Amino acid sequence: MPKSSPKDPGSPTGKFSDQRSSNRKKSDVPRKSTGLGTVILFWPFLIFHGLISPLPKFVRIPLRLLGDPAIAGLYAALLLGGFYFIRAQPFDMAKVAEMPERTVIYDRRGEELGRIHGEKRDVIRVEDVSQDFIFAILAREDKRFYTHHGVDWIGVGRAMVQNFKRGGVAQGASTLTMQLARNSFALKSKWLDFSPKLQELDRKLLETAVSYRIESHYEKEEVLQHYVNRIFWGHQIRGIEEASRTYFEKHAKELTLSESALLAGIVRGPNAFSPFNDMEKAVRERDSVLDRMVLEGFIPQDQADTAKKDPITIRPEWRRIFHDSYAMDAIRRELERILEEENIELGGLQITTTIDSLIQKKAEEALDAKLRQIERTPGYPHQTRAAWNELPADKKSRPQYLQGSVVAIENLTGAVLAIVGGRNADESKFNRALQGRRQIGSVFKPFVYLAGFESGIRPNTLIDDGPLNIGGWRPKNSDGTFGGMLPASTGLIRSRNTMSVRIGSRAGIEKVSDTAISVGFETPIPKSPTSYLGAWEASTYEVASAYTVFPNSGVRYAPRIIKEIRDRNGNVVWPEKGDSPYISYQAVNPGSAWSVSNILKEVTTRGTAASVKSLGFNKPCGGKTGTTNDYKDAWFAGYTSSITCAVWVGLDTPKKTIDRGYGSTLALPVWVEVMKTADKLGYKAEGLKSQLSFVECRLCRTSGKRATAGCERAQEAYTDNVPVDNVPAENDLCPDHPAKAIPVDGVIEEEPTTGRPPKAQEIIDEGPIQEEMEPEVLKAIPVDEDEIR
């Protein structure tokens, strides 16, 4: 029987074989398998689909239509979360706690003078904030603050529902942490400026990521502390302490429930709801916060009702203006020299200055009182301050009324006790004490005599008071007269111009110029004999500092206004450890300074400043008046053993102030008031003593050198007690009286003489001497010592 073919369909074996063949072919076809990467990437979809696969088709389809987009949204959220988590990493969390705050300025007594730099803020601890305010701000802004981790998702959901119900009306859901993130960092992306809505969404997402970082970096109490210190309350006010001080004139710890609720209520619209701008709106917001506090369980209803009845007492309008001062201007200028720009911008420093607020206040009051008195005199020809203040705001220009400046310095430290640069810093920012440079006139003469004494002249050396002709310039004396030979001291006491020029010429212009620079004048004086009479300009600050060499026996302490600087942690940052804030040097010889000081004491007893006693100051003092041509500038610079003070009075545009507007009339009374106050405060005006050693020696009256036999025969020799550093050398003999006793006058007269020096005039105490006015100097005259005739 023939063998059946495997392909024979009739054969049972063939049929089975065909089936196996068919099955084998099917198994040989590769099956589509799910890769590991797909599983990892799409496992939420796979699990979801696996879970719903047993369900009927009509159930599976709706579930997939809802579930797949939800899972896709989860994917998108994770991607966004990762993206914004990475973007949030560069933000320095330490910056959250770094807040620019006001630098506080104190006087030497610890009294606050003012605040500068930084922002209008005081950073305080959360423990120093009223608990009522903490409850109020939580009830108003973030009731779940202690339970969320930066974002209140319950609040976000509620806001979304409310926004949907209201047809898209936005309702916020920012937590305190999110507000802190927004206030601490610049979160807006400039590359999204083309789409404000997209930019706002980007900012909100970044704010969320940064909020989580803040919560992970800080404890809840720290977050709350940084928030209450950063928050904005309108009117440039930042932080709860400054808001409490500005609105209610009290510390944040002392806020009542009513006040706390009001401040919490105006946070969302500080300028719109400010009690300074609209009290009705502010009270409405307060009541709303109190209701929320009851609703959230922070206070009972009866407490809220009582708080709603409390009257609101805010800072009165006249105390809302923070006035500037010339002392603060000087302090700002000094700080800019000492501090780095970063320290200035960040603020938060505690600056102790040398200013004595009591002397500062008296100097301001005394200056304005004296100038008001002058302005009230009949026929006063200039604008008065009262008239300027009455002008409408749109008609006011730069004040043209009478001005002045005062600087008081502590002798033995250089500490500036008071600095007044005008009558009102709000009305005129120009600080005349520092920036105003005016012709100083006779106030400079003591330094000419100082240079002369260092060049060998003695107070008893005879100086001619006769006429002079220097290149056509003929300086005159205030009384129009000329005298004979007078002691040098008399020339300074009586402020004789001709004698001052002769003394300056004997010292030499270079010596006088060097002396001026050494004692503190900043600008070299003109190389002209007119400089001997103060025909050049300086500031009140320079004059006051220069005059300290007289009570200090020639030592000058560099003037300073900053005593100490501490950072916000109380650490001293200036002066550096080991450095002394006192900088001193020997500016001139002690003996010369002592000699001039003795003469300046006589100026205040029988010279141009003799009225000091009748004005009410009876303590030992020295000083010099000065009045420039046509009464344009009135000066007085003087000192006691403790303090040196300089006063200037004049108009900003130099012109005649009043007839007989002498320094003794306009400036000296202000000086007296300052000194009387200083003496009462403990800056004692004791006798001006010196520790110098003196040597008795025989000198010549005309040359100031050691007397020779010729001096004796000419009856010009005298015995003097000379400071040891001014004693002429043994061989430094008088050149005017050689052995043959032929007298030689060292200063040639304008008119020929008989060959013998004029006889010394007898010194008669004539009582107080009328103050002089400096002769007009029309041009700078070059110095040629040989031309002095």
Side-chain angles (χ1 to χ4, degrees):
M1 186 172 184
K3 202 174 200 178
S4 298
S5 170
K7 296 181 181 180
D8 185 359
S11 170
T13 306
K15 187 176 181 179
F16 177 74
S17 176
D18 288 344
Q19 182 67 36
R20 284 189 305 169
S21 175
S22 174
N23 290 340
R24 185 173 64 251
K25 285 178 182 178
K26 287 180 181 179
S27 63
D28 288 344
V29 175
R31 282 182 90 180
K32 193 171 183 180
S33 61
T34 302
L36 180 61
T38 303
V39 171
I40 293 174
L41 187 60
F42 294 104
W43 65 267
F45 289 97
L46 296 175
I47 292 176
F48 175 64
H49 292 168
L51 290 173
I52 65 174
S53 61
L55 299 176
K57 186 175 183 180
F58 72 91
V59 177
R60 289 200 312 271
I61 291 176
L63 287 176
R64 290 190 65 175
L65 290 175
L66 295 173
D68 286 352
I71 295 172
L74 179 62
Y75 270 82
L78 289 173
L79 288 173
L80 281 174
F83 174 70
Y84 282 98
F85 173 80
I86 294 172
R87 282 189 61 190
Q89 294 311 300
F91 291 98
D92 184 1
M93 290 296 103
K95 297 294 184 183
V96 174
E98 293 178 5
M99 285 167 265
E101 58 180 306
R102 301 291 273 171
T103 287
V104 185
I105 308 296
Y106 300 98
D107 82 336
R108 59 171 45 202
R109 299 173 182 273
E111 295 293 325
E112 184 177 320
L113 292 175
R115 300 180 178 221
I116 59 176
H117 301 157
E119 294 180 345
K120 199 173 179 182
R121 169 195 286 120
D122 263 347
V123 175
I124 61 173
R125 302 174 305 163
V126 72
E127 293 88 349
D128 295 325
V129 180
S130 166
Q131 190 62 50
D132 285 332
F133 175 79
I134 299 298
F135 288 158
I137 199 68
L138 292 178
R140 179 62 180 260
E141 298 293 323
D142 193 353
K143 64 182 180 182
R144 282 179 284 272
F145 173 73
Y146 284 101
T147 58
H148 66 65
H149 299 288
V151 179
D152 181 6
W153 293 110
I154 297 175
V156 171
R158 175 187 54 77
M160 292 176 66
V161 171
Q162 292 296 325
N163 291 341
F164 177 78
K165 288 180 178 180
R166 297 178 183 182
V169 178
Q171 178 171 332
S174 291
T175 63
L176 297 188
T177 314
M178 295 172 74
Q179 293 179 48
L180 179 59
R182 184 164 61 247
N183 291 328
S184 300
F185 302 107
L187 301 177
K188 284 189 176 181
S189 300
K190 292 184 179 179
W191 54 276
L192 290 174
D193 283 346
F194 67 91
S195 174
K197 289 186 178 180
L198 191 60
Q199 186 183 61
E200 179 61 20
L201 176 61
D202 175 75
R203 183 193 65 77
K204 202 69 179 178
L205 292 173
L206 183 57
E207 179 183 296
T208 299
V210 173
S211 298
Y212 277 114
R213 282 206 64 205
I214 290 174
E215 290 267 352
S216 66
H217 192 85
Y218 292 102
E219 299 292 334
K220 281 290 185 181
E221 293 302 314
E222 293 177 309
V223 173
L224 185 59
Q225 176 172 301
H226 300 328
Y227 173 81
V228 299
N229 280 316
R230 273 196 181 273
I231 197 166
F232 176 63
W233 260 285
H235 308 286
Q236 300 182 330
I237 305 165
R238 296 185 182 275
I240 181 60
E241 177 72 1
E242 190 66 29
S244 181
R245 280 163 44 92
T246 302
Y247 285 122
F248 301 115
E249 299 185 295
K250 60 173 62 175
H251 294 294
K253 187 81 171 177
E254 301 165 343
L255 288 170
T256 65
L257 175 59
S258 174
E259 294 164 345
S260 297
L262 186 145
L263 289 180
I266 68 175
V267 166
R268 293 187 182 182
N271 286 319
F273 302 145
S274 164
F276 288 170
N277 296 336
D278 194 323
M279 178 60 77
E280 185 178 343
K281 289 182 179 179
V283 171
R284 185 189 67 199
E285 293 301 313
R286 177 201 66 178
D287 294 348
S288 173
V289 171
L290 291 170
D291 292 339
R292 289 289 296 274
M293 294 177 74
V294 173
L295 182 64
E296 303 301 338
F298 286 106
I299 58 173
Q301 184 64 55
D302 61 339
Q303 196 172 346
D305 294 339
T306 301
K308 288 180 182 180
K309 297 176 183 177
D310 285 350
I312 301 295
T313 304
I314 60 174
R315 180 190 291 268
E317 188 171 356
W318 65 272
R319 282 208 299 270
R320 295 175 196 171
I321 299 174
F322 295 92
H323 297 285
D324 201 357
S325 78
Y326 294 108
M328 291 295 290
D329 173 68
I331 292 165
R332 277 191 290 264
R333 293 170 186 272
E334 185 69 7
L335 285 176
E336 288 172 2
R337 185 185 66 81
I338 294 174
L339 296 177
E340 299 288 342
E341 184 176 349
E342 179 182 352
N343 299 113
I344 291 175
E345 291 179 354
L346 191 59
L349 303 173
Q350 298 172 30
I351 313 291
T352 301
T353 70
T354 62
I355 295 291
D356 188 314
S357 57
L358 299 178
I359 296 180
Q360 176 73 27
K361 183 179 180 181
K362 172 53 69 175
E364 294 169 351
E365 292 175 348
L367 178 65
D368 188 55
K370 181 59 186 177
L371 301 191
R372 278 191 287 111
Q373 179 189 25
I374 298 299
E375 290 174 338
R376 288 196 296 265
T377 57
Y380 179 73
H382 306 295
Q383 181 190 63
T384 66
R385 186 181 172 202
W388 185 86
N389 280 318
E390 290 174 359
L391 292 172
D394 59 341
K395 299 293 183 182
K396 285 184 177 178
S397 58
R398 184 173 61 88
Q400 301 293 325
Y401 53 72
L402 192 62
Q403 292 284 4
S405 55
V406 183
V407 176
I409 298 177
E410 193 172 44
N411 295 333
L412 294 178
T413 63
V416 177
L417 301 175
I419 181 165
V420 182
R423 294 172 71 178
N424 188 288
D426 294 325
E427 297 170 5
S428 172
K429 301 298 182 186
F430 183 61
N431 194 332
R432 295 156 189 83
L434 296 173
Q435 300 169 279
R437 303 184 64 81
R438 299 298 288 258
Q439 193 172 125
I440 60 176
S442 290
V443 167
F444 183 64
K445 286 179 182 175
F447 302 101
V448 176
Y449 283 75
L450 189 58
F453 291 170
E454 293 206 327
S455 301
I457 298 173
R458 293 293 303 140
N460 288 323
T461 300
L462 295 176
I463 304 295
D464 189 9
D465 189 35
L468 280 171
N469 183 356
I470 308 174
W473 177 54
R474 293 178 172 87
K476 297 179 181 179
N477 294 314
S478 61
D479 59 5
T481 66
F482 298 98
M485 301 295 285
L486 297 171
S489 59
T490 302
L492 184 54
I493 294 170
R494 297 185 177 183
S495 202
R496 305 296 284 176
N497 289 331
T498 51
M499 294 178 70
S500 299
V501 172
R502 282 188 169 94
I503 287 179
S505 69
R506 282 180 63 167
I509 192 66
E510 292 296 336
K511 177 63 176 177
V512 174
S513 179
D514 290 346
T515 300
I517 294 295
S518 183
V519 299
F521 290 104
E522 297 175 1
T523 305
I525 68 174
K527 300 300 177 64
S528 164
T530 61
S531 294
Y532 302 143
L533 302 183
W536 52 280
E537 297 173 342
S539 70
T540 315
Y541 194 76
E542 292 173 83
V543 171
S545 177
Y547 263 72
T548 61
V549 302
F550 299 125
N552 283 350
S553 296
V555 174
R556 177 177 181 262
Y557 286 85
R560 59 189 184 86
I561 201 167
I562 306 297
K563 182 179 180 181
E564 183 182 79
I565 302 176
R566 292 179 180 266
D567 63 19
R568 64 184 64 205
N569 297 317
N571 302 312
V572 176
V573 296
W574 189 90
E576 294 184 6
K577 190 174 182 180
D579 289 352
S580 171
Y582 305 106
I583 302 173
S584 65
Y585 60 93
Q586 191 73 45
V588 292
N589 289 337
S592 301
W594 178 85
S595 297
V596 175
S597 181
N598 269 353
I599 299 171
L600 293 179
K601 285 191 290 183
E602 292 193 64
V603 172
T604 63
T605 56
R606 63 186 186 93
T608 56
S611 60
V612 66
K613 185 174 293 186
S614 63
L615 289 169
F617 191 67
N618 300 312
K619 301 299 178 68
C621 61
K624 185 72 181 72
T625 56
T627 310
T628 62
N629 179 63
D630 201 23
Y631 307 106
K632 292 175 182 175
D633 302 276
W635 289 90
F636 183 76
Y639 52 86
T640 64
S641 57
S642 298
I643 295 176
T644 296
C645 179
V647 180
W648 166 83
V649 172
L651 293 158
D652 286 341
T653 301
K655 63 179 71 172
K656 181 179 179 179
T657 55
I658 60 172
D659 286 329
R660 303 179 66 80
Y662 295 115
S664 59
T665 304
L666 302 183
L668 181 58
V670 179
W671 184 90
V672 167
E673 291 302 313
V674 173
M675 286 302 186
K676 287 195 297 186
T677 297
D679 189 57
K680 292 176 183 177
L681 293 173
Y683 301 91
K684 293 302 181 183
E686 299 172 346
L688 293 163
K689 301 176 182 178
S690 174
Q691 303 298 320
L692 297 176
S693 298
F694 292 82
V695 175
E696 186 178 280
C697 55
R698 195 78 173 155
L699 302 176
C700 175
R701 290 187 184 278
T702 58
S703 68
K705 306 293 186 180
R706 286 189 178 270
T708 65
C711 301
E712 297 288 352
R713 285 192 290 270
Q715 298 182 352
E716 297 295 339
Y718 73 102
T719 301
D720 196 3
N721 285 319
V722 182
V724 66
D725 57 336
N726 285 138
V727 174
E730 291 292 337
N731 60 353
D732 191 8
L733 302 176
C734 173
D736 298 345
H737 300 99
K740 293 183 179 180
I742 303 174
V744 178
D745 186 9
V747 179
I748 303 175
E749 294 290 324
E750 183 181 83
E751 302 297 335
T753 66
T754 60
R756 289 186 58 84
K759 297 295 288 184
Q761 289 188 353
E762 182 182 0
I763 305 303
I764 302 173
D765 187 355
E766 301 176 347
I769 299 168
Q770 181 180 1
E771 186 178 351
E772 71 170 333
M773 179 176 64
E774 295 304 322
E776 185 172 12
V777 179
L778 299 178
K779 61 180 180 178
I781 301 169
V783 173
D784 185 344
E785 307 299 345
D786 293 333
E787 285 191 13
I788 298 181
R789 297 287 187 267

